[in-house]
Amino acid sequence: MADGVPEPHNGWTFLTNHARVLASIADNHSARVRDIAARCRLTERAVQKIIVDLEQNGYLSHTRVGRVNRYSIDPDRVLRHPAEAGLTVASLLSVLVRDEDERRGFGDHVRPDT
């Protein structure tokens, strides 16, 4: 990482950057843009644009708590692509968050921050 800009990823991936940012926020509702960017391997500017997209389309909202943004995700919001008709944000995040927990070694245990 040079000058705070993550190295780009070459090739295709299964998840969009929007899904990665949403999953990162689901994991930490008070995450800083800087931390989300590092976790998702994106620039801070790219994360800011994605957050705006998600907010404008009703998937995400935030409130200011002191100097920190606290994000809220609408779990009942339906995914945008017609091929995912009926799938909600909650169903997407249930898979992504479970995967994160398994990678961290939590397995089927209750997440420590819930």
Side-chain angles (χ1 to χ4, degrees):
M1 187 180 320
D3 299 326
V5 177
E7 294 178 26
H9 177 275
N10 295 323
W12 64 274
T13 63
F14 283 100
L15 299 176
T16 66
N17 290 337
H18 284 67
R20 284 189 189 92
V21 168
L22 195 62
S24 183
I25 290 170
D27 192 48
N28 180 355
H29 289 272
S30 298
R32 298 178 305 173
V33 168
R34 174 183 308 160
D35 298 329
I36 296 167
R39 180 175 178 177
C40 296
R41 297 179 55 130
L42 299 169
T43 64
E44 290 180 35
R45 183 70 183 133
V47 170
Q48 290 169 337
K49 287 180 179 182
I50 290 169
I51 288 172
V52 167
D53 285 346
L54 293 170
E55 286 186 320
Q56 287 178 341
N57 287 280
Y59 291 91
L60 186 66
S61 61
H62 77 274
T63 54
R64 193 84 172 151
V65 180
R67 296 177 55 187
V68 177
N69 284 327
R70 175 96 177 135
Y71 297 98
S72 296
I73 296 170
D74 182 351
D76 299 322
R77 191 86 177 159
V78 176
L79 301 182
R80 292 171 45 104
H81 195 281
E84 291 129 10
L87 291 177
T88 64
V89 168
S91 62
L92 172 67
L93 292 176
S94 71
V95 172
L96 296 178
V97 171
R98 182 178 63 221
D99 180 56
E100 281 291 314
D101 286 347
E102 289 170 1
R103 286 193 280 166
R104 291 182 184 156
F106 294 129
D108 293 329
H109 305 290
V110 175
R111 293 180 58 198
D113 60 344
T114 56

